[in-house]
Short mmCIF file of all heavy atoms in Angstrom, two decimals:
data_model
loop_
_atom_site.label_atom_id
_atom_site.label_comp_id
_atom_site.label_asym_id
_atom_site.label_seq_id
_atom_site.Cartn_x
_atom_site.Cartn_y
_atom_site.Cartn_z
N GLU A 1 125.36 136.16 138.36
CA GLU A 1 126.36 136.49 139.38
C GLU A 1 127.25 135.37 139.65
O GLU A 1 128.28 135.59 140.31
CB GLU A 1 125.63 136.75 140.68
CG GLU A 1 124.88 138.18 140.56
CD GLU A 1 124.03 138.46 141.76
OE1 GLU A 1 123.79 137.55 142.60
OE2 GLU A 1 123.51 139.62 141.92
N ALA A 2 126.88 134.12 139.20
CA ALA A 2 127.82 132.91 139.41
C ALA A 2 128.59 132.59 138.21
O ALA A 2 128.95 131.38 137.89
CB ALA A 2 126.90 131.71 139.78
N ARG A 3 128.98 133.66 137.40
CA ARG A 3 129.73 133.44 136.15
C ARG A 3 130.99 132.62 136.33
O ARG A 3 131.42 131.78 135.63
CB ARG A 3 130.09 134.75 135.45
CG ARG A 3 128.84 135.39 134.65
CD ARG A 3 129.38 136.53 133.86
NE ARG A 3 129.93 137.67 134.68
CZ ARG A 3 129.23 138.54 135.21
NH1 ARG A 3 127.90 138.59 135.02
NH2 ARG A 3 129.75 139.50 135.97
N GLY A 4 131.69 132.93 137.50
CA GLY A 4 132.94 132.28 137.78
C GLY A 4 132.74 130.72 138.03
O GLY A 4 133.49 129.92 137.54
N THR A 5 131.76 130.46 138.76
CA THR A 5 131.39 129.05 139.07
C THR A 5 130.92 128.30 137.78
O THR A 5 131.29 127.15 137.71
CB THR A 5 130.24 128.87 140.11
OG1 THR A 5 130.62 129.54 141.32
CG2 THR A 5 129.82 127.51 140.33
N LEU A 6 130.19 128.98 136.90
CA LEU A 6 129.67 128.31 135.77
C LEU A 6 130.72 128.22 134.51
O LEU A 6 130.42 127.59 133.54
CB LEU A 6 128.44 129.00 135.24
CG LEU A 6 127.24 128.93 136.19
CD1 LEU A 6 126.05 129.81 135.60
CD2 LEU A 6 126.76 127.53 136.36
N ALA A 7 131.85 128.96 134.76
CA ALA A 7 132.81 129.06 133.64
C ALA A 7 133.32 127.73 133.20
O ALA A 7 133.68 127.63 131.97
CB ALA A 7 133.95 129.90 134.07
N THR A 8 133.35 126.77 133.92
CA THR A 8 133.85 125.43 133.59
C THR A 8 132.78 124.53 132.98
O THR A 8 133.06 123.35 132.51
CB THR A 8 134.49 124.71 134.83
OG1 THR A 8 133.47 124.44 135.78
CG2 THR A 8 135.66 125.54 135.40
N PHE A 9 131.54 124.96 133.14
CA PHE A 9 130.46 124.11 132.54
C PHE A 9 130.17 124.42 131.08
O PHE A 9 130.23 125.59 130.61
CB PHE A 9 129.20 124.34 133.30
CG PHE A 9 129.27 123.64 134.73
CD1 PHE A 9 129.57 124.37 135.82
CD2 PHE A 9 128.98 122.26 134.88
CE1 PHE A 9 129.73 123.84 137.12
CE2 PHE A 9 129.11 121.71 136.15
CZ PHE A 9 129.42 122.48 137.27
N ASP A 10 129.84 123.44 130.27
CA ASP A 10 129.40 123.61 128.98
C ASP A 10 127.89 123.86 128.73
O ASP A 10 127.44 124.62 127.94
CB ASP A 10 129.74 122.44 128.00
CG ASP A 10 131.33 122.20 127.96
OD1 ASP A 10 132.05 123.13 127.46
OD2 ASP A 10 131.84 121.22 128.55
N TYR A 11 127.20 123.13 129.63
CA TYR A 11 125.69 123.18 129.64
C TYR A 11 125.08 123.26 131.03
O TYR A 11 125.64 122.64 131.93
CB TYR A 11 125.12 121.95 128.87
CG TYR A 11 125.52 121.80 127.41
CD1 TYR A 11 126.49 121.08 127.03
CD2 TYR A 11 124.91 122.71 126.44
CE1 TYR A 11 126.87 120.97 125.67
CE2 TYR A 11 125.31 122.69 125.11
CZ TYR A 11 126.30 121.74 124.73
OH TYR A 11 126.68 121.77 123.48
N VAL A 12 124.07 124.05 131.17
CA VAL A 12 123.28 124.03 132.41
C VAL A 12 121.86 123.69 131.96
O VAL A 12 121.17 124.33 131.16
CB VAL A 12 123.22 125.47 132.99
CG1 VAL A 12 122.39 125.45 134.23
CG2 VAL A 12 124.73 125.92 133.43
N PHE A 13 121.37 122.55 132.55
CA PHE A 13 120.05 122.09 132.31
C PHE A 13 119.07 122.48 133.49
O PHE A 13 119.54 122.20 134.70
CB PHE A 13 119.97 120.61 132.18
CG PHE A 13 120.55 120.08 130.79
CD1 PHE A 13 120.58 118.80 130.41
CD2 PHE A 13 121.01 121.08 129.77
CE1 PHE A 13 121.09 118.35 129.20
CE2 PHE A 13 121.43 120.64 128.56
CZ PHE A 13 121.52 119.23 128.31
N LEU A 14 117.95 123.04 133.14
CA LEU A 14 116.97 123.32 134.19
C LEU A 14 115.84 122.50 134.17
O LEU A 14 115.13 122.48 133.11
CB LEU A 14 116.50 124.83 134.08
CG LEU A 14 117.68 125.81 133.86
CD1 LEU A 14 117.07 127.24 133.57
CD2 LEU A 14 118.56 125.95 135.10
N ASP A 15 115.55 121.45 135.04
CA ASP A 15 114.45 120.66 135.02
C ASP A 15 113.27 121.32 135.76
O ASP A 15 113.24 121.48 137.02
CB ASP A 15 114.77 119.31 135.70
CG ASP A 15 113.69 118.28 135.62
OD1 ASP A 15 113.00 118.32 134.48
OD2 ASP A 15 113.45 117.49 136.51
N CYS A 16 112.25 121.72 134.99
CA CYS A 16 111.23 122.52 135.51
C CYS A 16 110.06 121.67 136.08
O CYS A 16 109.95 120.59 135.71
CB CYS A 16 110.54 123.44 134.32
SG CYS A 16 111.78 124.59 133.61
N PRO A 17 109.25 122.34 136.99
CA PRO A 17 108.11 121.59 137.43
C PRO A 17 107.08 121.37 136.27
O PRO A 17 107.13 122.11 135.32
CB PRO A 17 107.46 122.62 138.52
CG PRO A 17 108.51 123.54 138.69
CD PRO A 17 109.33 123.61 137.50
N PRO A 18 106.13 120.51 136.45
CA PRO A 18 105.19 120.25 135.43
C PRO A 18 103.97 121.20 135.60
O PRO A 18 102.78 120.90 135.85
CB PRO A 18 104.65 118.76 135.60
CG PRO A 18 104.88 118.60 137.08
CD PRO A 18 106.08 119.38 137.54
N SER A 19 104.35 122.56 135.46
CA SER A 19 103.34 123.63 135.67
C SER A 19 103.98 124.78 134.99
O SER A 19 105.15 124.88 134.65
CB SER A 19 103.01 123.92 137.06
OG SER A 19 104.17 124.45 137.78
N LEU A 20 103.16 125.96 134.86
CA LEU A 20 103.64 127.20 134.31
C LEU A 20 103.60 128.27 135.34
O LEU A 20 103.25 129.34 135.10
CB LEU A 20 102.86 127.57 132.99
CG LEU A 20 102.94 126.58 131.90
CD1 LEU A 20 102.07 127.02 130.78
CD2 LEU A 20 104.42 126.48 131.45
N GLY A 21 104.08 127.94 136.60
CA GLY A 21 104.15 128.82 137.69
C GLY A 21 105.35 129.60 137.61
O GLY A 21 106.11 129.67 136.75
N LEU A 22 105.68 130.24 138.88
CA LEU A 22 106.83 131.20 139.05
C LEU A 22 108.15 130.48 138.91
O LEU A 22 109.13 131.09 138.43
CB LEU A 22 106.69 131.88 140.40
CG LEU A 22 106.10 133.31 140.32
CD1 LEU A 22 105.99 133.92 141.74
CD2 LEU A 22 106.91 134.26 139.48
N ILE A 23 108.27 129.22 139.33
CA ILE A 23 109.52 128.51 139.19
C ILE A 23 109.86 128.29 137.70
O ILE A 23 111.00 128.60 137.30
CB ILE A 23 109.52 127.22 139.98
CG1 ILE A 23 109.40 127.48 141.54
CG2 ILE A 23 110.76 126.39 139.73
CD1 ILE A 23 109.30 126.15 142.38
N THR A 24 108.87 127.86 137.07
CA THR A 24 109.08 127.60 135.57
C THR A 24 109.35 128.91 134.90
O THR A 24 110.18 129.05 133.99
CB THR A 24 107.82 126.95 134.92
OG1 THR A 24 107.63 125.65 135.43
CG2 THR A 24 107.97 126.78 133.45
N LEU A 25 108.63 129.99 135.22
CA LEU A 25 108.84 131.30 134.67
C LEU A 25 110.31 131.73 134.90
O LEU A 25 111.05 132.32 134.02
CB LEU A 25 107.92 132.33 135.23
CG LEU A 25 107.97 133.78 134.64
CD1 LEU A 25 107.79 133.75 133.26
CD2 LEU A 25 106.97 134.71 135.30
N ASN A 26 110.83 131.52 136.11
CA ASN A 26 112.24 131.90 136.42
C ASN A 26 113.25 131.06 135.52
O ASN A 26 114.20 131.71 135.07
CB ASN A 26 112.49 131.53 137.89
CG ASN A 26 112.47 132.67 138.78
OD1 ASN A 26 113.50 133.45 139.02
ND2 ASN A 26 111.29 132.99 139.36
N ALA A 27 112.89 129.85 135.28
CA ALA A 27 113.72 129.04 134.43
C ALA A 27 113.63 129.54 132.93
O ALA A 27 114.70 129.71 132.31
CB ALA A 27 113.28 127.68 134.38
N LEU A 28 112.50 129.98 132.43
CA LEU A 28 112.42 130.49 131.15
C LEU A 28 113.03 131.86 130.99
O LEU A 28 113.61 132.07 129.86
CB LEU A 28 110.96 130.56 130.69
CG LEU A 28 110.15 129.22 130.67
CD1 LEU A 28 108.65 129.45 130.22
CD2 LEU A 28 110.78 128.28 129.70
N VAL A 29 113.05 132.62 131.98
CA VAL A 29 113.77 133.93 131.93
C VAL A 29 115.25 133.76 131.96
O VAL A 29 116.02 134.61 131.33
CB VAL A 29 113.27 134.82 133.10
CG1 VAL A 29 114.07 136.16 133.12
CG2 VAL A 29 111.76 135.27 132.85
N ALA A 30 115.74 132.72 132.62
CA ALA A 30 117.17 132.47 132.72
C ALA A 30 117.72 131.77 131.51
O ALA A 30 118.85 131.77 131.40
CB ALA A 30 117.45 131.62 133.96
N ALA A 31 116.93 131.07 130.71
CA ALA A 31 117.38 130.06 129.77
C ALA A 31 117.61 130.73 128.39
O ALA A 31 117.06 131.83 128.02
CB ALA A 31 116.34 128.95 129.55
N ASP A 32 118.51 130.11 127.64
CA ASP A 32 118.77 130.56 126.22
C ASP A 32 117.67 129.78 125.35
O ASP A 32 117.38 130.37 124.27
CB ASP A 32 120.10 130.07 125.70
CG ASP A 32 121.19 130.67 126.59
OD1 ASP A 32 121.22 131.91 126.77
OD2 ASP A 32 122.07 129.95 127.16
N GLY A 33 117.28 128.68 125.73
CA GLY A 33 116.38 127.85 124.89
C GLY A 33 115.49 126.85 125.72
O GLY A 33 115.84 126.61 126.95
N VAL A 34 114.48 126.37 125.15
CA VAL A 34 113.68 125.33 125.79
C VAL A 34 113.61 124.07 125.04
O VAL A 34 113.38 124.11 123.79
CB VAL A 34 112.19 125.95 125.89
CG1 VAL A 34 111.38 124.95 126.73
CG2 VAL A 34 112.18 127.30 126.52
N LEU A 35 113.80 122.92 125.65
CA LEU A 35 113.62 121.64 125.10
C LEU A 35 112.32 121.06 125.69
O LEU A 35 112.24 120.87 126.92
CB LEU A 35 114.93 120.80 125.34
CG LEU A 35 115.21 119.73 124.23
CD1 LEU A 35 116.66 119.47 124.31
CD2 LEU A 35 114.45 118.56 124.36
N VAL A 36 111.36 120.65 124.82
CA VAL A 36 110.21 120.12 125.26
C VAL A 36 110.11 118.69 125.02
O VAL A 36 109.89 118.25 123.86
CB VAL A 36 108.94 120.82 124.61
CG1 VAL A 36 107.64 120.36 125.06
CG2 VAL A 36 109.05 122.40 124.80
N PRO A 37 110.14 117.84 126.07
CA PRO A 37 109.79 116.36 125.89
C PRO A 37 108.32 116.25 125.67
O PRO A 37 107.50 116.78 126.41
CB PRO A 37 110.34 115.73 127.19
CG PRO A 37 111.30 116.80 127.71
CD PRO A 37 110.68 118.04 127.36
N LEU A 38 107.96 115.47 124.70
CA LEU A 38 106.54 115.32 124.40
C LEU A 38 106.06 113.82 124.23
O LEU A 38 106.67 113.17 123.28
CB LEU A 38 106.22 116.10 123.04
CG LEU A 38 104.69 116.21 122.70
CD1 LEU A 38 103.94 117.12 123.60
CD2 LEU A 38 104.64 116.70 121.22
N GLN A 39 105.20 113.38 125.02
CA GLN A 39 104.69 112.05 124.94
C GLN A 39 103.75 112.06 123.73
O GLN A 39 102.99 112.92 123.44
CB GLN A 39 103.89 111.67 126.22
CG GLN A 39 103.40 110.27 126.14
CD GLN A 39 102.73 109.87 127.48
OE1 GLN A 39 102.48 110.63 128.35
NE2 GLN A 39 102.27 108.62 127.56
N THR A 40 103.92 110.89 122.98
CA THR A 40 103.08 110.77 121.70
C THR A 40 101.66 110.20 121.99
O THR A 40 101.37 109.02 121.78
CB THR A 40 103.81 109.81 120.68
OG1 THR A 40 104.17 108.62 121.40
CG2 THR A 40 105.07 110.47 120.17
N GLU A 41 100.94 111.04 122.68
CA GLU A 41 99.55 110.70 122.86
C GLU A 41 98.57 112.02 122.73
O GLU A 41 99.28 113.18 122.76
CB GLU A 41 99.32 110.13 124.24
CG GLU A 41 99.83 110.83 125.38
CD GLU A 41 98.82 111.57 126.19
OE1 GLU A 41 97.76 111.00 126.52
OE2 GLU A 41 99.05 112.74 126.44
N PHE A 42 97.34 111.86 122.48
CA PHE A 42 96.57 112.94 122.07
C PHE A 42 96.59 114.20 122.93
O PHE A 42 96.74 115.27 122.38
CB PHE A 42 95.03 112.44 122.07
CG PHE A 42 94.12 113.63 121.65
CD1 PHE A 42 94.07 114.07 120.25
CD2 PHE A 42 93.26 114.16 122.58
CE1 PHE A 42 93.18 115.10 119.90
CE2 PHE A 42 92.49 115.20 122.19
CZ PHE A 42 92.48 115.64 120.88
N PHE A 43 96.52 114.10 124.20
CA PHE A 43 96.41 115.30 125.03
C PHE A 43 97.77 116.04 125.02
O PHE A 43 97.78 117.23 125.33
CB PHE A 43 96.16 114.94 126.48
CG PHE A 43 94.62 114.39 126.69
CD1 PHE A 43 94.37 113.23 127.11
CD2 PHE A 43 93.64 115.37 126.36
CE1 PHE A 43 93.07 112.79 127.25
CE2 PHE A 43 92.30 114.92 126.55
CZ PHE A 43 92.05 113.68 126.96
N ALA A 44 98.82 115.42 124.56
CA ALA A 44 100.16 116.17 124.50
C ALA A 44 100.07 117.23 123.42
O ALA A 44 100.78 118.26 123.63
CB ALA A 44 101.17 115.10 124.04
N LEU A 45 99.21 117.09 122.40
CA LEU A 45 99.10 118.15 121.44
C LEU A 45 98.50 119.40 122.00
O LEU A 45 98.98 120.60 121.54
CB LEU A 45 98.24 117.65 120.25
CG LEU A 45 98.80 116.44 119.44
CD1 LEU A 45 97.69 116.01 118.52
CD2 LEU A 45 100.07 116.82 118.72
N GLU A 46 97.59 119.33 122.98
CA GLU A 46 97.08 120.44 123.64
C GLU A 46 98.19 121.17 124.47
O GLU A 46 98.32 122.35 124.60
CB GLU A 46 95.91 120.11 124.47
CG GLU A 46 94.70 119.68 123.71
CD GLU A 46 93.50 119.32 124.58
OE1 GLU A 46 93.68 119.23 125.80
OE2 GLU A 46 92.40 119.22 124.06
#
């Protein structure tokens, strides 16, 4: 609904919470793609 406001932007970045709750779900439903920052340590693989 904010197409007019967004018309001048090239990129919209959504910084999600560190969880997979409803806010993150909203971001994933709105997004074209997901960029995953990943720390190079063992638990990151899970």
Side-chain angles (χ1 to χ4, degrees):
E1 290 173 350
R3 282 190 299 270
T5 300
L6 294 177
T8 62
F9 288 97
D10 296 298
Y11 297 101
V12 177
F13 285 179
L14 311 175
D15 186 38
C16 299
S19 68
L20 295 176
L22 263 176
I23 294 177
T24 298
L25 182 59
N26 263 269
L28 297 180
V29 173
D32 301 307
V34 184
L35 212 157
V36 182
L38 185 72
Q39 185 180 359
T40 51
E41 52 104 46
F42 175 74
F43 289 118
L45 295 174
E46 294 182 347

